[in-house]
PDB file of all heavy atoms in Angstrom:
ATOM      1  N   SER A  60      -8.624   3.648  -1.834  1.00  0.00           N
ATOM      2  CA  SER A  60      -8.090   3.630  -3.201  1.00  0.00           C
ATOM      3  C   SER A  60      -7.080   2.490  -3.398  1.00  0.00           C
ATOM      4  O   SER A  60      -5.978   2.708  -3.871  1.00  0.00           O
ATOM      5  CB  SER A  60      -7.423   4.976  -3.512  1.00  0.00           C
ATOM      6  OG  SER A  60      -6.372   5.251  -2.597  1.00  0.00           O
ATOM      7  N   TRP A  61      -7.481   1.259  -3.057  1.00  0.00           N
ATOM      8  CA  TRP A  61      -6.565   0.125  -3.174  1.00  0.00           C
ATOM      9  C   TRP A  61      -6.026  -0.064  -4.583  1.00  0.00           C
ATOM     10  O   TRP A  61      -4.844  -0.326  -4.774  1.00  0.00           O
ATOM     11  CB  TRP A  61      -7.253  -1.170  -2.758  1.00  0.00           C
ATOM     12  CG  TRP A  61      -7.243  -1.470  -1.294  1.00  0.00           C
ATOM     13  CD1 TRP A  61      -8.348  -1.647  -0.508  1.00  0.00           C
ATOM     14  CD2 TRP A  61      -6.120  -1.664  -0.428  1.00  0.00           C
ATOM     15  NE1 TRP A  61      -7.969  -1.927   0.787  1.00  0.00           N
ATOM     16  CE2 TRP A  61      -6.603  -1.948   0.854  1.00  0.00           C
ATOM     17  CE3 TRP A  61      -4.741  -1.616  -0.615  1.00  0.00           C
ATOM     18  CZ2 TRP A  61      -5.780  -2.188   1.948  1.00  0.00           C
ATOM     19  CZ3 TRP A  61      -3.907  -1.859   0.461  1.00  0.00           C
ATOM     20  CH2 TRP A  61      -4.431  -2.142   1.719  1.00  0.00           C
ATOM     21  N   SER A  62      -6.888   0.003  -5.585  1.00  0.00           N
ATOM     22  CA  SER A  62      -6.482  -0.314  -6.960  1.00  0.00           C
ATOM     23  C   SER A  62      -5.898   0.857  -7.722  1.00  0.00           C
ATOM     24  O   SER A  62      -5.139   0.657  -8.673  1.00  0.00           O
ATOM     25  CB  SER A  62      -7.673  -0.876  -7.744  1.00  0.00           C
ATOM     26  OG  SER A  62      -8.100  -2.080  -7.146  1.00  0.00           O
ATOM     27  N   ALA A  63      -6.266   2.051  -7.359  1.00  0.00           N
ATOM     28  CA  ALA A  63      -5.726   3.268  -7.976  1.00  0.00           C
ATOM     29  C   ALA A  63      -5.219   4.142  -6.826  1.00  0.00           C
ATOM     30  O   ALA A  63      -5.863   5.108  -6.434  1.00  0.00           O
ATOM     31  CB  ALA A  63      -6.796   3.991  -8.781  1.00  0.00           C
ATOM     32  N   PRO A  64      -4.074   3.772  -6.244  1.00  0.00           N
ATOM     33  CA  PRO A  64      -3.606   4.400  -5.008  1.00  0.00           C
ATOM     34  C   PRO A  64      -3.451   5.914  -5.080  1.00  0.00           C
ATOM     35  O   PRO A  64      -2.748   6.448  -5.932  1.00  0.00           O
ATOM     36  CB  PRO A  64      -2.248   3.736  -4.774  1.00  0.00           C
ATOM     37  CG  PRO A  64      -2.330   2.445  -5.502  1.00  0.00           C
ATOM     38  CD  PRO A  64      -3.165   2.725  -6.708  1.00  0.00           C
ATOM     39  N   ASP A  65      -4.140   6.557  -4.150  1.00  0.00           N
ATOM     40  CA  ASP A  65      -4.022   7.995  -3.972  1.00  0.00           C
ATOM     41  C   ASP A  65      -3.107   8.210  -2.769  1.00  0.00           C
ATOM     42  O   ASP A  65      -3.399   7.700  -1.674  1.00  0.00           O
ATOM     43  CB  ASP A  65      -5.402   8.600  -3.710  1.00  0.00           C
ATOM     44  CG  ASP A  65      -5.323  10.063  -3.367  1.00  0.00           C
ATOM     45  OD1 ASP A  65      -5.142  10.885  -4.292  1.00  0.00           O
ATOM     46  OD2 ASP A  65      -5.394  10.388  -2.160  1.00  0.00           O
ATOM     47  N   LEU A  66      -2.026   8.929  -2.955  1.00  0.00           N
ATOM     48  CA  LEU A  66      -1.029   9.093  -1.906  1.00  0.00           C
ATOM     49  C   LEU A  66      -1.637   9.622  -0.612  1.00  0.00           C
ATOM     50  O   LEU A  66      -1.390   9.071   0.469  1.00  0.00           O
ATOM     51  CB  LEU A  66       0.109  10.005  -2.367  1.00  0.00           C
ATOM     52  CG  LEU A  66       1.183  10.308  -1.323  1.00  0.00           C
ATOM     53  CD1 LEU A  66       1.914   9.040  -0.907  1.00  0.00           C
ATOM     54  CD2 LEU A  66       2.162  11.347  -1.868  1.00  0.00           C
ATOM     55  N   GLU A  67      -2.425  10.661  -0.686  1.00  0.00           N
ATOM     56  CA  GLU A  67      -2.995  11.247   0.534  1.00  0.00           C
ATOM     57  C   GLU A  67      -3.919  10.266   1.245  1.00  0.00           C
ATOM     58  O   GLU A  67      -3.912  10.186   2.481  1.00  0.00           O
ATOM     59  CB  GLU A  67      -3.717  12.558   0.217  1.00  0.00           C
ATOM     60  CG  GLU A  67      -2.793  13.651  -0.290  1.00  0.00           C
ATOM     61  CD  GLU A  67      -1.609  13.925   0.639  1.00  0.00           C
ATOM     62  OE1 GLU A  67      -1.794  13.958   1.871  1.00  0.00           O
ATOM     63  OE2 GLU A  67      -0.479  14.100   0.127  1.00  0.00           O
ATOM     64  N   ASP A  68      -4.695   9.499   0.498  1.00  0.00           N
ATOM     65  CA  ASP A  68      -5.574   8.490   1.073  1.00  0.00           C
ATOM     66  C   ASP A  68      -4.757   7.425   1.795  1.00  0.00           C
ATOM     67  O   ASP A  68      -5.080   7.033   2.916  1.00  0.00           O
ATOM     68  CB  ASP A  68      -6.417   7.871  -0.054  1.00  0.00           C
ATOM     69  CG  ASP A  68      -7.373   6.798   0.423  1.00  0.00           C
ATOM     70  OD1 ASP A  68      -7.934   6.918   1.531  1.00  0.00           O
ATOM     71  OD2 ASP A  68      -7.586   5.833  -0.346  1.00  0.00           O
ATOM     72  N   TRP A  69      -3.680   6.963   1.164  1.00  0.00           N
ATOM     73  CA  TRP A  69      -2.856   5.924   1.771  1.00  0.00           C
ATOM     74  C   TRP A  69      -2.123   6.442   3.008  1.00  0.00           C
ATOM     75  O   TRP A  69      -2.038   5.752   4.017  1.00  0.00           O
ATOM     76  CB  TRP A  69      -1.868   5.363   0.743  1.00  0.00           C
ATOM     77  CG  TRP A  69      -2.492   4.364  -0.181  1.00  0.00           C
ATOM     78  CD1 TRP A  69      -3.695   4.472  -0.825  1.00  0.00           C
ATOM     79  CD2 TRP A  69      -1.946   3.108  -0.562  1.00  0.00           C
ATOM     80  NE1 TRP A  69      -3.911   3.356  -1.586  1.00  0.00           N
ATOM     81  CE2 TRP A  69      -2.859   2.505  -1.451  1.00  0.00           C
ATOM     82  CE3 TRP A  69      -0.763   2.450  -0.262  1.00  0.00           C
ATOM     83  CZ2 TRP A  69      -2.620   1.258  -2.027  1.00  0.00           C
ATOM     84  CZ3 TRP A  69      -0.534   1.203  -0.842  1.00  0.00           C
ATOM     85  CH2 TRP A  69      -1.453   0.624  -1.706  1.00  0.00           C
ATOM     86  N   VAL A  70      -1.592   7.652   2.943  1.00  0.00           N
ATOM     87  CA  VAL A  70      -0.890   8.218   4.096  1.00  0.00           C
ATOM     88  C   VAL A  70      -1.861   8.381   5.266  1.00  0.00           C
ATOM     89  O   VAL A  70      -1.542   8.050   6.410  1.00  0.00           O
ATOM     90  CB  VAL A  70      -0.204   9.553   3.723  1.00  0.00           C
ATOM     91  CG1 VAL A  70       0.293  10.290   4.952  1.00  0.00           C
ATOM     92  CG2 VAL A  70       0.954   9.298   2.748  1.00  0.00           C
ATOM     93  N   ALA A  71      -3.068   8.867   4.977  1.00  0.00           N
ATOM     94  CA  ALA A  71      -4.083   9.002   6.026  1.00  0.00           C
ATOM     95  C   ALA A  71      -4.457   7.635   6.604  1.00  0.00           C
ATOM     96  O   ALA A  71      -4.648   7.499   7.816  1.00  0.00           O
ATOM     97  CB  ALA A  71      -5.327   9.704   5.479  1.00  0.00           C
ATOM     98  N   ALA A  72      -4.525   6.610   5.757  1.00  0.00           N
ATOM     99  CA  ALA A  72      -4.864   5.264   6.228  1.00  0.00           C
ATOM    100  C   ALA A  72      -3.773   4.707   7.144  1.00  0.00           C
ATOM    101  O   ALA A  72      -4.073   4.047   8.144  1.00  0.00           O
ATOM    102  CB  ALA A  72      -5.094   4.334   5.038  1.00  0.00           C
ATOM    103  N   VAL A  73      -2.512   4.989   6.827  1.00  0.00           N
ATOM    104  CA  VAL A  73      -1.412   4.567   7.700  1.00  0.00           C
ATOM    105  C   VAL A  73      -1.554   5.256   9.053  1.00  0.00           C
ATOM    106  O   VAL A  73      -1.458   4.619  10.105  1.00  0.00           O
ATOM    107  CB  VAL A  73      -0.034   4.859   7.072  1.00  0.00           C
ATOM    108  CG1 VAL A  73       1.088   4.592   8.075  1.00  0.00           C
ATOM    109  CG2 VAL A  73       0.183   4.030   5.809  1.00  0.00           C
ATOM    110  N   GLY A  74      -1.816   6.552   9.030  1.00  0.00           N
ATOM    111  CA  GLY A  74      -1.981   7.296  10.278  1.00  0.00           C
ATOM    112  C   GLY A  74      -3.138   6.788  11.114  1.00  0.00           C
ATOM    113  O   GLY A  74      -3.011   6.630  12.335  1.00  0.00           O
ATOM    114  N   LYS A  75      -4.248   6.495  10.490  1.00  0.00           N
ATOM    115  CA  LYS A  75      -5.425   5.991  11.219  1.00  0.00           C
ATOM    116  C   LYS A  75      -5.129   4.628  11.834  1.00  0.00           C
ATOM    117  O   LYS A  75      -5.476   4.374  12.997  1.00  0.00           O
ATOM    118  CB  LYS A  75      -6.617   5.905  10.272  1.00  0.00           C
ATOM    119  CG  LYS A  75      -7.891   5.497  10.945  1.00  0.00           C
ATOM    120  CD  LYS A  75      -9.068   5.535   9.979  1.00  0.00           C
ATOM    121  CE  LYS A  75     -10.342   5.123  10.692  1.00  0.00           C
ATOM    122  NZ  LYS A  75     -11.498   5.124   9.799  1.00  0.00           N
ATOM    123  N   ALA A  76      -4.470   3.758  11.083  1.00  0.00           N
ATOM    124  CA  ALA A  76      -4.133   2.430  11.611  1.00  0.00           C
ATOM    125  C   ALA A  76      -3.135   2.550  12.764  1.00  0.00           C
ATOM    126  O   ALA A  76      -3.261   1.859  13.781  1.00  0.00           O
ATOM    127  CB  ALA A  76      -3.572   1.553  10.497  1.00  0.00           C
ATOM    128  N   TYR A  77      -2.160   3.433  12.618  1.00  0.00           N
ATOM    129  CA  TYR A  77      -1.181   3.642  13.682  1.00  0.00           C
ATOM    130  C   TYR A  77      -1.883   4.112  14.955  1.00  0.00           C
ATOM    131  O   TYR A  77      -1.619   3.601  16.047  1.00  0.00           O
ATOM    132  CB  TYR A  77      -0.118   4.652  13.240  1.00  0.00           C
ATOM    133  CG  TYR A  77       0.844   5.005  14.339  1.00  0.00           C
ATOM    134  CD1 TYR A  77       1.961   4.207  14.581  1.00  0.00           C
ATOM    135  CD2 TYR A  77       0.644   6.124  15.141  1.00  0.00           C
ATOM    136  CE1 TYR A  77       2.856   4.521  15.599  1.00  0.00           C
ATOM    137  CE2 TYR A  77       1.521   6.445  16.158  1.00  0.00           C
ATOM    138  CZ  TYR A  77       2.624   5.642  16.378  1.00  0.00           C
ATOM    139  OH  TYR A  77       3.495   5.939  17.399  1.00  0.00           O
ATOM    140  N   GLU A  78      -2.757   5.058  14.828  1.00  0.00           N
ATOM    141  CA  GLU A  78      -3.468   5.591  15.993  1.00  0.00           C
ATOM    142  C   GLU A  78      -4.310   4.516  16.675  1.00  0.00           C
ATOM    143  O   GLU A  78      -4.485   4.550  17.899  1.00  0.00           O
ATOM    144  CB  GLU A  78      -4.346   6.777  15.596  1.00  0.00           C
ATOM    145  CG  GLU A  78      -3.551   8.015  15.216  1.00  0.00           C
ATOM    146  CD  GLU A  78      -2.633   8.513  16.322  1.00  0.00           C
ATOM    147  OE1 GLU A  78      -3.014   8.449  17.511  1.00  0.00           O
ATOM    148  OE2 GLU A  78      -1.508   8.948  16.002  1.00  0.00           O
ATOM    149  N   ALA A  79      -4.794   3.549  15.922  1.00  0.00           N
ATOM    150  CA  ALA A  79      -5.614   2.484  16.493  1.00  0.00           C
ATOM    151  C   ALA A  79      -4.836   1.589  17.449  1.00  0.00           C
ATOM    152  O   ALA A  79      -5.428   0.975  18.335  1.00  0.00           O
ATOM    153  CB  ALA A  79      -6.233   1.637  15.376  1.00  0.00           C
ATOM    154  N   VAL A  80      -3.512   1.525  17.279  1.00  0.00           N
ATOM    155  CA  VAL A  80      -2.702   0.643  18.137  1.00  0.00           C
ATOM    156  C   VAL A  80      -1.627   1.381  18.929  1.00  0.00           C
ATOM    157  O   VAL A  80      -0.956   0.782  19.774  1.00  0.00           O
ATOM    158  CB  VAL A  80      -2.038  -0.493  17.312  1.00  0.00           C
ATOM    159  CG1 VAL A  80      -3.097  -1.394  16.710  1.00  0.00           C
ATOM    160  CG2 VAL A  80      -1.103   0.056  16.249  1.00  0.00           C
TER     161      VAL A  80
END
Side-chain angles (χ1 to χ4, degrees):
S60 59
W61 275 121
S62 298
D65 174 77
L66 177 63
E67 295 306 318
D68 180 36
W69 280 45
V70 169
V73 172
K75 184 175 180 181
Y77 175 85
E78 290 302 323
V80 296

